[in-house]
Structure formats: structure tokens, C-alpha cells
Amino acid sequence: MCGIVGYLGVRPATPVLVEGLHRLEYRGYDSAGVAVFDDGAIVVTKTAGRVQDLRDKLTDNPATVGIAHTRWATHGEPSDRNAHPHLDADSRIAVVHNGIIENAEQLRTQLTAAGVEFVSETDTEVLAHLIARERAETLEDAVRAALRGVEGTYGLVVLDRDRPGELVVARNGSPIVLGIGDGEMFIASDVAALVHHTQQVVFLDDGELATVTAAGFRTSTVEARRTSKTPTTVEHAADDYELGGHTDFMRKEMTEQPEAIARALRGRLDERFATAHLGGLGLDPMALRAIKRVKFLGCGSAYYAGQMGAALVEELARVPADAEPASEYRYRNPVVDPDALYVAVSQSGETIDTLAAVQELRRKGGRVIGAVNVVGSAIARECGSGVFLHAGPEVSVASTKALTNMTVSFAMLALLLGRVRDLSAAAGTRVVTGLRALPGQVERVLADDAEIARIAKRYAHARHMFFLGRVRGWPVAREGAQKLKEISYIHAEAYQSAELKHGPLALVDAEMPSVVIVPADDLVAKNIGTIEQVKARGGPVIAVTNADLPDGLADEVIRVPRGEPELDPILLTIPLQLLAYHTATALGRDIDKPRNLAKSVTVE
């Protein structure tokens, strides 16, 4: 959500900045802009629209320092004047900012009373004026003094016309990463903008500032205490963020799922003792046995993966487990169970609501681990222990391989918890074998792409869809509805199948297709009954199943391989990704950049 890029060095800054913005387009945005220091002045170019629109407005410029931004509107409509960077009245200070300043209106009123005239509706312009009005010896001190009166979240970079050899950055709740080059430094809100230039990075912590020059950086807190940072080597290369011959990133990432699952499993399954090894948890068998409850916290697809994880923990470990949206948990003054294990789930590791839930848990003494896909991310650092997903970089807004690896990781967690309790070696071996088989089984589902595309095209005209499932199929249905609405813009709702007759059945007609999830379990007969109820009202049915269904029961049937029953949700989710993808393609949607959405949600 929004993107930041900064550069100081010896080469022209503008191409570096624009290339960085291009690599951050997946985060979601509606306008873009660049500010560079050239010939004694800050030169700003910005526009509502795409990065390519910005590129078309730029001219060659020899400037070697600058900042850039892609904006996702929160305060004020998408427009040229609301786009970042923002300047103070004298065009001395330029600021780019991710996050939300919660007391912006109060600060704006104070500044207006002092004679400041605003040119935008944004909260970010407030920062530019506050910093410019500070009478401090250094830019760092001015930024620090201004931030002491600011409430809210921010990741920001500041350029000063009078000190063009440095940039000052600050973080509180919104990610900022420094990239270390040879005689040059890079700044970004995501490592995706950096890996083309360097793999040596430094992640700022909340409440931290850095003064960055071409030769290096120094860090300190908002309270002016010096801090020490050790660079981290990023494993990903620039090619990991390229399409590699695919039409879009969602297609690429769906096809990468067999390999991603194999990475998640590598070195973690133990056939001898029929268990899993998750060394990142930092929990010995005694500590694992002491866990009396497991709660998963996430947002969007991560929440639905948590629901699948909770079911796995209850089935395999017989430990009470549930999942809750982190966005709700953080606000309801939760009772923290000292005997519970809390699992914070986030692809980016920067999801603001999940991070806030982690901080609330830690404040109350809860034991919380992270399940993230980005090493060094805020949630990973805040938790200190957890499970790394090993999905590889995920660019498309709609999560596919990261969601799959979340569920695979939770299956291993459930197996580990079960084997220190009453799950037998034979049952553990069965689950290990099932996990080993997953990459090949997912390949078989993906091979059915053309048939699923045909089904998607048949129903792409629908304005509404139901997704129905029971028990193991319920979170699968929720994730399927999420995917469809995210990228096709078709209104989709998920219901427990048994709830259909308690209200939703009134909506079923010939124009309302239902996607029914039918695992091959002891509820097959119940799910057949659900399909018959929908068909009796004239509703079309797409069955997604690994069970043997009566011929002609459903209008369309998407079959997946039969594996171990506890792992069914993993395989049943894959065709729903393809169904959503091909529906969106048939409707001509922008697959990787759906309207109004962002990949990493770092503001409330």
C-alpha cells in the first residue's frame, strides 16, 4: 500500500527512482511522483495515474539525489496536487510518506492559524510544513522535533534543498528499508525496489530514524539515542520479481506452487519419528506439550489460512484452536491466555492490523510466533520466532502461493503438536506421506487449467455467486469467494452449507451460480443434499471435489486428486484460484492490480 523509493549516489537518480516505483506497482496506487535536487532547487514531477504516465512527463536530469512515491489515496482524491512528494511553502523541504497521520486535522488547523496555506488535502503536506518550521541545526533534528507532535503511522523520507547530500528517513508502523551500495545508498518501502541494485539491506524498527548519505547511514531513535544496525543479506534476486514469460504475476505465482510447497517442506519432515521439525519456533517438546490452545490471527486470505490451520491443529493434535481477524482482535481488549500459542499470519510481515495484534499480545504477556514470507519484516522481528513460509516473492495482490504455503506450514505445526501428544506414529507417517505428495498433486490440479478456464468463461456473466462448504470445506469456500471478488469484481459470498436454508437460500435462482466444496469425507451425503437444494431452486452448481458424486448432480465438476483427508483444504483451494483467475481474464480485469486494493496493507 503506497511505495517509497530514495537514492543518493553518483549516477542519475531519476531512472533509479522510476525503476524502483515500477517494481512497487504491485503494492497498489493511484498516483506517482518524483522529487530531485537539481541546480540548487527541488524539482517535482507528479501525476495521477500509473508510473508510465509519470515516466512520460519526466525529462532527462543529471540530479544524483531524489525521492519518489506511489500513492494509495487516504486523505483526498487521486489527483496531481494530492500526489507525493509534497513541499513546504518555500519549496525547501520535500516529503514522501506512507501511513496515516491521525492528528493531521488538528495540526493542519494549527498551521493554518500560523499563516500556512495548504495546496493539497493530504496529511503528508502537514509533515512538510512541520519540518520546515523547525529551527534545528540538522535535518535529522528537525524531523525528530516535528515527529514528536505527530500521532499515527509513518514511513517517510525527507529531502532538504539546503542539505542535498543527505536524506532523512523515519519509521513508525510502516516499513522502511535501506539498501547499501558501493558509494551509493538506496531507500525503499519494500526490498523489491532494491534487489536490482543490492542485496545488502537494513530494516528500520518502529521509532527509528536514519540519516543517509551516499557513503553510508547512521540510525537513532526519536528520543535521539543512537542505535546500531547490522546489514542483512536478501536471498531474492531481481529475476524473482520478473514475469519470466508469463502474462501476469498471478499466473506465474500459481504455477510456482508445487516448487514453493517443496521448499516449505524441505528439511522439515522427519520420516523416522513421523513428525515435523520447525526450529524457528524455539519451543522444546515440554513447551509444546504445555500449549493448551492455539489461536491464529490474520487478515484476508491469511485469516482464512488460519481457519484451515485451526482445523488441522484440532484434528491432528486435539488441541482447541480457532482463528480471528487480527483487525478485530486488536480492538476488543482480548483476554490473553498464558497457556495459549498465538500465531500471527502475514505474507508481507508488515500488515498493520496483525502487527498491532502482535504488539498487544506481547504487552499482555502472550506467547506469539510469526508465520511470514519476508525475513526481517516487522512481524518477524516483533515475534522473534516463528515459521518462515519459503513461498518466494509474491507480487500479485491476490495471494496464491503464500496462502498455500501458510496452510502447508500449519499442517506441519499441527503434526508437530500432535506427535508430542497422542497422534500415533502410524497416523503421523500417513500425514508426512500426504505432505510429501502435495507438490505432485498440485501439479495435477494446475494441469486442468484449460477445463477450469472453460467453466469460468461459462459463468463469467454472473453478477453474484455463492461459495458453500462444511467443516473442512468452509474456509476453502471463504477463500474462494475472496479470490473471485478481489480480481473479477463479481459479488461473492461464502456460507456454511448448513446455513443455506437459514436465509441465503432465498437468493438462489438461475442467475446465481453456487460453487460447492465437497471433500471426500463423512459429510459427502450432506453436501450432496446441499447441491440438490440449490438445484431444486434452479441454481447452477459448480462442484469442486475429490469425492465420487452421482452423474449429472452438478452442472460442472472440478476434480482434484484424493490425498490425506486432513490435507484436503490445500488441494481444494487451488482450483478456486484458477476459477477466479480465468473469470477475471474473461472479463478483461487487471489481474495483478485490482481496483481499490493493495498488496501490503500498512494503513488502517
Side-chain angles (χ1 to χ4, degrees), residues 29 32 45 47-58:
Y29 71 104
T45 306
T47 186
R50 296 296 190 185
V51 170
Q52 184 58 51
D53 300 321
L54 175 66
R55 194 193 306 265
D56 293 342
K57 294 179 70 171
L58 291 166

Side-chain angles (χ1 to χ4, degrees), residues 79-377:
S79 66
D80 289 4
R81 67 189 179 95
N82 286 332
H84 297 211
H86 287 286
L87 301 170
D88 73 304
D90 296 327
S91 298
R92 179 175 71 85
I93 296 294
V95 177
V96 292
H97 160 238
N98 290 350
I100 294 179
I101 306 305
E102 295 177 355
N103 61 336
E105 284 305 311
Q106 175 187 344
L107 294 171
R108 180 184 284 262
T109 299
Q110 294 171 1
L111 289 166
T112 300
V116 171
E117 294 184 6
F118 286 86
V119 298
S120 78
E121 303 168 83
T122 67
D123 53 343
T124 302
E125 189 183 353
V126 170
L127 294 173
H129 292 295
L130 287 174
I131 294 167
R133 292 171 69 83
E134 294 292 341
R135 297 295 177 254
E137 293 186 5
T138 68
L139 178 58
E140 179 181 306
D141 288 339
V143 172
R144 179 179 287 111
L147 290 179
R148 285 176 182 147
V150 168
E151 299 171 7
T153 59
Y154 52 79
L156 60 88
V157 187
V158 184
L159 170 63
D160 186 343
R161 180 192 63 202
D162 297 341
R163 301 176 178 90
E166 65 183 31
L167 297 173
V168 171
V169 303
R171 170 189 172 134
N172 185 51
S174 194
I176 290 288
V177 189
L178 309 182
I180 303 170
D182 184 8
E184 58 185 356
M185 288 289 293
F186 306 86
I187 300 164
S189 53
D190 189 312
V191 294
L194 304 178
V195 292
H196 187 69
H197 306 289
T198 181
Q199 290 184 292
Q200 291 295 109
V201 302
V202 167
F203 296 90
L204 290 194
D205 291 316
D206 282 350
E208 216 167 18
L209 290 82
T211 295
V212 184
T213 68
F217 67 95
R218 66 176 182 271
T219 57
S220 60
T221 67
V222 173
E223 294 79 21
R225 293 191 304 272
R226 290 296 299 271
T227 60
S228 178
K229 310 294 288 186
T230 302
T232 299
T233 300
V234 177
E235 296 180 2
H236 307 311
D239 288 347
D240 294 330
Y241 295 91
E242 301 292 347
L243 284 170
H246 294 277
T247 54
D248 45 65
F249 281 103
M250 185 175 178
R251 163 71 83 174
K252 175 177 184 269
E253 288 155 12
M254 287 190 297
T255 63
E256 290 173 342
Q257 287 177 107
E259 180 185 348
I261 295 170
R263 276 198 307 272
L265 297 175
R266 193 170 297 134
R268 287 173 163 174
L269 294 180
D270 182 343
E271 277 82 359
R272 179 184 178 189
F273 293 105
T275 188
H277 294 298
L278 298 173
L281 298 183
L283 299 173
D284 62 23
M286 290 292 289
L288 291 168
R289 281 188 61 85
I291 294 168
K292 296 182 179 178
R293 186 177 190 85
V294 179
K295 178 179 277 289
F296 295 85
L297 298 168
C299 297
S301 290
Y303 164 47
Y304 304 139
Q307 284 193 303
M308 297 180 204
L312 282 160
V313 168
E314 289 203 342
E315 286 193 75
L316 296 178
R318 305 307 298 160
V319 173
D322 69 327
E324 182 176 345
S327 53
E328 290 292 305
Y329 184 84
R330 63 176 295 196
Y331 285 121
R332 66 172 182 82
N333 192 24
V335 176
V336 174
D337 184 347
D339 296 320
L341 177 67
Y342 295 87
V343 185
V345 192
S346 168
Q347 188 282 136
S348 67
E350 302 286 350
T351 308
I352 189 67
D353 289 311
T354 309
L355 177 59
V358 169
Q359 292 166 340
E360 177 72 0
L361 279 165
R362 285 173 54 82
R363 186 180 68 82
K364 292 185 173 181
R367 177 168 45 189
V368 57
I369 63 171
V372 302
N373 196 40
V374 179
V375 173
S377 60

